[in-house]
Amino acid sequence: MELTGRVALITGGGSGIGRAAAQRFAAEGMRVCVVDIDAHAADTVASSLGGLGLQCDVSDPDQVDATFVACAGELGSVDLAFLNAGITVHWSGDIGTLDLADYRRSVGVNLDGVVFGARAAVRTMRTLPADSRAILATASLAGLVPWHPDAVYALGKHAVVGLLRSIAPNLAAEGIAVHTICPGITETGVLGDRRVLVERIGVPVMEPDAVADAALTAATAPLDDTGTCWVVQHGKPPWPMTFTGVPAADQRLNTPVRPTHSP
Ligand code: NAD
């Protein structure tokens, strides 16, 4: 989609990958709405870019709906929704000792936050017709491969990949492209103090700008590329994941679903 003069809403935009993406989209001439549970961080990033900062907990559907309405009200549109907010709770691969409150918190942000965000984005976009729009979400390499250190994180990120691949064909007829960004380890708050640990075992750590580049690639990709998962790895340009097909009669059910009614 064409970005100049359009509106981007970025969740988790107060730091890390979201902040880098907000800066990248603003540099492309977009007006940005920076959304974060940390109001000060959202305002700081937004004001540095002449944008709008909004506080929102993406795990609360009412807050998410209100945030999209506020963005459209203040900035006139939501053309690009980058559903990027995410957390790691703690790296514990032992399912036997999983704390269920941690589990709910992880899934609440990493999965519910994307479901609520995609739903609100589509509803808002339907009230503001335009030729081209896009919804992006940050999953992770842990959405494509097993992630033994934090299986619940992998659960949420695999779910985001499946969700976005599933909704993409449904939204193409409305000119809404859908892409997933799957970064490897990146120097941000999610990584915390683990950089030394991961580099010691030979895992290169990317800067958030590399992921912002991938978000820009996805946002500007042709509509025909909708449903792509962009893998982002250290020292490489973003590349589209190829999924192995499963030949099955069940695939006959996989025809795009059209909207049944406007909200
Ligand atoms: P980060 O901690 O720097 O940024 C995450 C932002 O999300 C923070 O500003 C935080 O305040 C915000 N946030 C947290 N909970 C929220 C909530 N409930 N509602 C709204 N905002 C909330 O980390 P990051 O690495 O930039 O994370 C961005 C995304 O990238 C996440 O989805 C993360 O899972 C994903 N990711 C990160 C890495 C990595 O190594 N850093 C790798 C792959 C994927």
Side-chain angles (χ1 to χ4, degrees), residues 137-145 147 153 157-158 160-161 180-184:
T138 309
S140 170
L141 284 188
L144 298 171
V145 298
W147 183 236
Y153 183 79
K157 296 303 188 180
H158 272 71
V160 167
V161 170
T180 316
I181 314 295
C182 294

Side-chain angles (χ1 to χ4, degrees), residues 15 17 36-37 56-58 84 86 138-139 153 157 183-184 186 188-190:
S15 73
I17 290 167
D36 207 286
I37 197 168
C56 170
D57 178 350
V58 299
N84 163 77
T138 309
Y153 183 79
K157 296 303 188 180
T186 309
T188 69
V190 159

Side-chain angles (χ1 to χ4, degrees), residues 204-252:
V205 176
M206 289 183 291
E207 299 307 317
D209 278 346
V211 190
D213 287 344
L216 185 61
T217 299
T220 54
L223 184 58
D224 283 350
D225 290 349
T226 194
T228 298
C229 288
W230 297 94
V231 179
V232 194
Q233 290 175 298
H234 188 270
K236 294 182 186 176
W239 54 273
M241 177 74 185
T242 306
F243 292 89
T244 307
V246 180
D250 314 46
Q251 292 285 8
R252 290 182 200 138

Side-chain angles (χ1 to χ4, degrees), residues 158-201:
H158 272 71
V160 167
V161 170
L163 174 77
L164 267 71
R165 291 181 72 208
S166 297
I167 64 173
N170 300 346
L171 296 170
E174 297 174 79
I176 302 173
V178 177
H179 294 262
T180 316
I181 314 295
C182 294
I185 301 281
T186 309
E187 170 68 70
T188 69
V190 159
L191 183 62
D193 59 5
R194 302 180 189 101
R195 180 166 190 153
V196 173
L197 170 77
V198 301
E199 286 185 331
R200 196 185 300 138
I201 55 174

